[in-house]
């Protein structure tokens, strides 16, 4: 709950206590201080709410939460200060390139703070220690703690940067300045050290208390992993909703990405009950109830524990309450089972994560753009369960259990990362690589780092944008499944010419360019173009697919169904002959998450089917007809049983060899199928 200045003495505390009960919430995060104090602080220049008087809404809500057996987290926001503090401590202020204080664009008389000033390292530290000493809190949470999105050009920061790096602070009018890489490294180190300062400070007061600054969709890519891995016993990922036309599966991707970067580390997904947009701002709005429920549910099946956020304790619109209660009830029905099992997938997408440009911390979305979106959408539509593996932790251990690794736009992977992938294939794993995956950037000397593994050699530099590009195929090749009746399909807008190695097969080939106008000239002259899709099989049993055009990017941009089909066919062929761990048949757009341990698995299905699934807010949930789930169980498994956790019923299991089949009579928003079986060494 984020208080506003006029909340003390005016909000209905009984409503909030009742809501804690109804949602079965086990933790409360509530505004305490920083920009504004909602408790009787004794620290100078810690601005009190004008309506606080002799009340203590922060302490009162803590008392209620503790009576309900809840954990309590205190929220502080250090991103801005009032005029009196600014006048007394000009060294606390963020400054523009001219050295002028940066006034808050939304609130006159309020100023942005410098993230590397003593305001954060000393003043906020003192506030955190006061809260920890005076109240029964278990943790503290920082919002907007990185303050300004750009660079603060205050003299203390400039001097510190100069001393520690030898550079002057870089300017945005010169993005080629060699100081930018140094600044990115320095910034990551400074923020990582600040996390440690705050965490040490509260633990010095009460050893069990932790300080957990929020993280965005990039999770910790803009921090120094070695400095913060012991500082975050859990993550709070602050992506409170979809922005603009982001897809409906946004929250699920955040869960996968976090698990792919920090496997085994708990994560809560901070979701607002209001409409979210990174440009447009309606903080007192209420999002559509179907949108809100879906965002929470798709997040938690992929590991993002549900956390709802309300700005302002006074309510102007109550329509968000019931959907939140319903989403939390769905989580409660599944939580006991899901929390006891490990996320499992046989397909992984490599999360290279490093966005273009000199300032990766400036990119708020935390993904590599349309290439990644296209892969995600294609695999989702094909109902292929998958996970992420981060390039930061890429290793044989991280790829354990993975049968297919998918590479999107992952240029210039390091030698160590390439070596891990090559060893993965040598050990029997498979790779699907799209377009410029592992391409170096040397003009005139293009090479694919995994060229030998993929069975291709680059002939010339990348071409594009091109128009009217097509590819033709061999109907006998397994990758041509579903293209019956076609002689060719749409190609890409960017291409990379390669030649296939002697042991590789050309599954698709480019048709050499021909005009797109005048219309009388629009016809192919030849069909013997360069390889467009190359497949190969390795002695280890591993397989490789290389797609020589921007298939994933153009799929996301143009949504040509043939591109989605080709991506899915490539992954399925790369899986080999053994059946997949999980297959789900039925109509509609369904997100699938699999968890497993020992002699049990849980398969969660989220119904994402809606006319606006690809663009914009979700306005309705359309129940889907029956779905059929097939799960591969260990050889010799007997006595399989299935329970539908949401419906609360037992389902019949049909066994055929290693496949256990379960019929799901209807899929509303969510169903989790919990399947258990007996093995030779188990008695239940």
């Amino acid at each position: 709950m984020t208080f506003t200045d006029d909340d003390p003495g005016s909000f209905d505390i009984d409503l909030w206590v009742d809501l804690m009960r109804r949602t079965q919430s086990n933790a409360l995060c509530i505004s305490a201080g920083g920009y504004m104090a909602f408790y009787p602080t004794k620290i100078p220049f810690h601005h009190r709410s004008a309506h606080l008087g002799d009340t203590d809404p922060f302490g009162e809500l803590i008392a209620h939460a503790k009576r309900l057996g809840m954990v309590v987290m205190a929220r502080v926001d250090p991103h801005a200060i009032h005029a009196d503090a600014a006048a007394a401590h000009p060294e606390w202020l963020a400054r523009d390139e001219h050295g002028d204080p940066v006034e808050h664009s939304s609130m006159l008389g309020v100023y942005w703070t410098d993230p590397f000033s003593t305001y954060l390292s000393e003043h906020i530290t003192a506030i955190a220690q006061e809260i920890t000493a005076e109240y029964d809190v278990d943790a503290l949470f920082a919002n907007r703690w990185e303050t300004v999105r750009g660079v603060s050009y205050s003299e203390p920061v400039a001097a510190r940067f100069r001393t520690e790096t030898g550079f002057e602070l870089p300017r945005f009018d010169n993005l080629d300045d060699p100081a930018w890489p140094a600044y990115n490294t320095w910034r990551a180190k400074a923020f990582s050290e600040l996390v440690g300062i705050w965490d040490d400070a509260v633990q010095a007061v009460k050893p069990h208390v932790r300080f957990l600054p929020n993280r965005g969709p990039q999770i910790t890519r803009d921090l120094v992993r070695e400095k913060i891995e012991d500082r975050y016993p859990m993550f709070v990922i602050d992506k409170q909703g979809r922005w603009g036309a982001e897809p409906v599966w946004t929250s699920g991707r955040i869960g996968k990405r976090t698990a792919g970067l920090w496997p085994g580390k708990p994560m809560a997904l901070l979701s607002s009950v209001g409409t979210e947009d990174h440009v447009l701002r309606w903080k007192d709005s209420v999002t559509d109830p179907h949108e809100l429920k879906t965002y929470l549910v798709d997040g938690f099946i992929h590991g993002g524990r549900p956390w709802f956020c309300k700005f302002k304790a006074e309510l102007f619109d109550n329509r968000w309450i019931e959907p939140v209660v319903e989403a939390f009830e769905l989580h409660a029905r599944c939580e006991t089972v899901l929390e006891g099992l490990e996320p499992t997938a046989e397909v992984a997408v490599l999360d290279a994560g490093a966005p273009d440009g000199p300032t990766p911390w400036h990119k708020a979305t935390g993904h590599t753009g349309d290439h990644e979106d296209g892969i995600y959408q294609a695999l989702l539509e094909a109902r292929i369960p998958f996970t992420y593996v981060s390039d930061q932790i890429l290793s044989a251990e991280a790829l354990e259990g993975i049968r297919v690794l998918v590479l999107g736009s992952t240029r210039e992977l390091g030698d160590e990362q390439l070596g891990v992938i090559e060893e993965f294939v040598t050990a029997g794993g498979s790779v699907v690589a799209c377009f410029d995956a592992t391409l170096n950037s040397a003009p005139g000397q293009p090479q694919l780092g995994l060229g030998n593994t993929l069975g291709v050699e680059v002939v010339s530099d990348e071409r594009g944008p091109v128009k009217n590009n097509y590819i033709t195929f061999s109907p006998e090749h397994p990758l041509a499944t579903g293209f019956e009746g076609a002689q060719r399909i749409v190609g890409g807008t960017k291409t990379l010419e390669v030649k296939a190695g002697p042991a590789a097969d050309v599954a698709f080939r480019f048709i050499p360019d021909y005009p797109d106008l005048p219309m009388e000239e629009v016809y192919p002259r030849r069909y013997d173009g360069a390889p467009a899709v190359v497949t190969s099989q390795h002695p280890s049993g591993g397989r490789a697919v290389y797609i020589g055009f921007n298939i994933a990017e153009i799929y996301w941009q143009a949504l040509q169904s043939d591109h989605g089909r080709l991506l899915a066919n490539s992954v399925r062929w790369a899986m080999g002959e053994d059946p997949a761990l999980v297959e789900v048949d039925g109509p509609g757009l369904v997100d699938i998450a699999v968890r497993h341990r020992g002699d049990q698995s849980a398969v969660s299905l989220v119904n994402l089917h809606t006319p606006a699934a690809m663009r914009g807010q979700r306005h309705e949930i359309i129940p889907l007809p029956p779905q059929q789930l097939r799960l591969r169980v260990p050889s010799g498994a007997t006595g399989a049983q299935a329970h539908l956790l949401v419906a609360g019923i037992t389902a019949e299991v049909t066994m055929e060899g290693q496949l256990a089949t379960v019929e799901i009579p209807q899929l509303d928003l969510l169903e989790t199928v919990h399947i258990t079986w007996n093995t030779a060494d188990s008695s239940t």
Side-chain angles (χ1 to χ4, degrees):
M1 182 196 298
T2 305
F3 281 135
T4 59
D5 196 357
D6 64 338
D7 276 335
S10 65
F11 72 99
D12 185 350
I13 194 169
D14 292 334
L15 179 149
W16 283 99
V17 174
D18 181 62
L19 186 58
M20 293 178 205
R21 292 193 185 97
R22 293 185 62 202
T23 55
Q24 306 173 62
S25 292
N26 54 17
L28 170 69
C29 180
I30 181 172
S31 289
Y35 171 72
M36 186 175 291
F38 294 98
Y39 70 96
T41 180
K42 300 179 180 64
I43 296 176
F45 299 111
H46 189 195
H47 184 92
R48 289 192 186 199
S49 162
H51 297 263
L52 190 64
D54 59 359
T55 67
D56 185 359
F58 172 69
E60 189 175 358
L61 267 170
I62 287 178
H64 281 286
K66 288 296 180 177
R67 282 194 285 272
L68 292 173
M70 298 171 70
V71 169
V72 173
M73 179 180 282
R75 176 190 183 274
V76 298
D77 187 325
H79 88 273
I81 55 176
H82 293 77
D84 59 338
H89 290 279
E91 74 278 8
W92 288 351
L93 301 179
R95 297 185 181 272
D96 62 21
E97 293 187 1
H98 305 291
D100 297 325
V102 181
E103 190 169 13
H104 211 291
S105 59
S106 300
M107 184 73 182
L108 296 178
V110 172
Y111 296 87
W112 284 86
T113 57
D114 188 319
F116 307 116
S117 70
T118 56
Y119 177 75
L120 278 80
S121 61
E122 296 179 7
H123 188 70
I124 292 298
T125 300
I127 291 171
Q129 289 185 312
E130 180 183 58
I131 293 168
T132 305
E134 298 296 326
Y135 294 94
D136 186 11
V137 298
D138 302 282
L140 285 89
F141 168 83
N143 179 68
R144 287 190 179 272
W145 62 285
E146 293 159 279
T147 74
V148 291
R149 292 294 298 170
V151 176
S152 173
Y153 294 92
S154 68
E155 183 49 40
V157 173
R160 178 180 169 187
F161 182 67
R162 191 181 306 118
T163 299
E164 296 182 13
T165 70
F167 289 99
E168 297 296 330
L169 287 170
R171 307 277 170 154
F172 283 93
D173 58 3
N174 181 13
L175 296 181
D176 295 324
D177 188 336
W180 276 116
Y183 181 79
N184 294 337
T185 301
W186 178 83
R187 179 187 185 275
K189 176 175 176 288
F191 275 132
S192 302
E193 290 171 349
L194 181 60
V195 174
I197 289 171
W198 284 339
D199 197 35
D200 286 341
V202 296
Q203 290 187 70
V205 179
K206 291 178 181 174
H208 77 281
V209 176
R210 304 303 298 267
F211 198 121
L212 304 174
N214 71 347
R215 303 307 306 139
Q218 284 194 341
I219 305 108
T220 57
R221 284 188 173 272
D222 55 343
L223 299 178
V224 180
R225 186 182 185 95
E226 294 74 17
K227 287 183 176 293
I228 54 91
E229 57 187 337
D230 294 332
R231 297 298 185 175
Y232 278 100
M234 64 170 288
F235 293 115
V236 178
I237 305 301
D238 194 346
K239 178 69 166 73
Q240 297 179 25
R242 291 186 308 102
W243 293 340
E246 284 182 327
V248 69
W249 39 257
T250 294
S251 59
R253 171 162 62 186
I254 294 170
K256 291 184 183 183
R257 171 164 279 117
T258 306
L261 183 60
W262 292 96
K265 185 89 74 170
M267 184 271 280
L269 178 60
L270 179 50
S271 311
S272 174
V273 305
T275 302
E276 282 296 308
D277 193 282
H278 66 297
V279 176
L280 308 174
R281 303 283 284 177
W282 294 293
K283 298 314 296 180
D284 271 335
S285 65
V286 172
T287 195
D288 187 282
H290 305 97
E291 166 82 5
L292 180 54
K293 279 197 296 186
T294 303
Y295 194 81
L296 288 164
V297 169
D298 199 52
F300 78 63
I301 71 161
H302 293 296
R305 278 76 169 178
W307 174 330
F308 71 92
C309 172
K310 174 66 176 70
F311 294 97
K312 187 166 181 55
E314 180 185 4
L315 304 188
F316 302 126
D317 187 338
N318 292 355
R319 289 177 293 174
W320 61 269
I321 293 179
E322 293 308 316
V324 165
V325 171
E326 292 168 17
F328 272 56
E329 170 60 26
L330 288 172
H331 182 254
R333 293 184 193 182
C334 303
E335 180 181 20
T336 302
V337 170
L338 295 183
E339 290 296 321
L341 306 178
E342 296 292 335
T344 304
E346 296 181 305
V347 176
V349 176
L350 182 64
D351 179 14
D356 295 331
T359 56
W361 41 272
H362 235 223
K363 190 177 179 75
T365 55
H367 69 88
T368 52
D370 292 355
H371 295 277
E372 182 194 331
D373 286 338
I375 290 171
Y376 202 110
Q377 183 67 28
L379 296 182
L380 182 75
E381 288 177 330
R383 299 187 170 198
I384 297 174
F386 68 99
T387 188
Y388 276 108
V389 173
S390 170
D391 60 342
Q392 290 190 358
I393 65 164
L394 185 61
S395 64
E397 182 181 9
L399 293 175
E400 188 175 349
I402 298 299
R403 292 168 66 182
V404 180
L405 180 64
V406 182
L407 309 180
S409 184
T410 52
R411 287 175 175 259
E412 300 194 31
L413 291 178
D415 290 342
E416 184 176 348
Q417 295 163 324
L418 293 173
V420 169
I421 299 173
E422 289 169 346
E423 290 176 8
F424 169 69
V425 175
T426 300
S430 298
V431 175
V432 175
C434 301
F435 185 44
D436 60 354
T438 77
L439 182 69
N440 66 22
S441 59
Q445 297 178 323
Q447 280 188 319
L448 291 171
L450 288 177
N452 290 336
T453 299
L454 299 171
V456 297
E457 179 183 341
V458 180
V459 174
S460 61
D461 286 330
E462 168 189 329
R463 296 175 60 235
V466 297
K467 295 182 179 180
N468 211 34
N469 180 260
Y470 301 93
I471 56 177
T472 187
F473 53 87
S474 168
E476 293 78 23
H477 199 287
L479 265 62
T481 301
F483 298 120
E484 293 81 3
Q487 294 180 0
R488 60 182 184 172
I489 63 174
V490 172
T493 60
K494 301 172 188 174
T495 66
L496 191 65
E497 185 177 351
V498 301
K499 64 179 181 180
D505 295 321
V506 178
F508 287 69
R509 190 176 292 277
F510 288 113
I511 297 175
D513 292 357
Y514 57 93
D516 66 320
L517 281 175
M519 298 308 295
E520 292 82 356
E521 301 289 352
V522 183
Y523 64 93
R525 274 64 168 176
R526 299 168 26 233
Y527 292 87
D528 57 347
V533 181
V534 177
T535 64
S536 55
Q537 301 192 49
H538 291 258
S540 65
R543 297 181 174 189
V545 180
Y546 173 71
I547 302 174
F549 63 96
N550 59 331
I551 183 171
E553 179 183 46
I554 202 67
Y555 181 53
W556 182 251
Q557 293 172 355
L559 287 175
Q560 295 291 313
S561 58
D562 283 343
H563 290 152
R565 183 177 296 112
L566 179 53
L567 280 166
N569 286 353
S570 299
V571 172
R572 289 194 175 110
W573 179 81
M575 289 275 283
E577 303 301 326
D578 292 336
L581 175 63
V582 168
E583 292 183 347
V584 180
D585 293 334
L589 184 65
V590 175
D591 198 359
I592 303 170
V594 184
R595 299 194 185 205
H596 174 79
R597 177 174 286 165
D599 54 3
Q600 58 180 311
S601 291
V603 181
S604 295
L605 311 179
V606 176
N607 170 13
L608 300 182
H609 197 79
T610 174
M614 292 297 296
R615 301 289 189 270
Q617 190 179 72
R618 190 174 200 185
H619 302 294
E620 62 179 331
I621 294 172
I622 304 172
L624 291 178
Q627 310 284 315
Q628 185 183 76
L629 164 68
R630 290 186 299 279
L631 173 74
R632 189 185 74 238
V633 297
S635 178
T638 60
Q641 302 178 57
H643 190 68
L644 307 187
L645 300 183
V646 173
I649 61 173
T650 298
E652 182 180 351
V653 181
T654 302
M655 293 290 295
E656 183 176 347
Q658 286 187 257
L659 295 180
T661 301
V662 179
E663 302 290 337
I664 303 167
Q666 179 175 302
L667 181 59
D668 293 326
L669 175 57
L670 169 71
E671 187 56 83
T672 294
V673 184
H674 184 208
I675 302 177
T676 60
W677 57 86
N678 297 332
T679 57
D681 58 353
S682 65
S683 57
T684 59

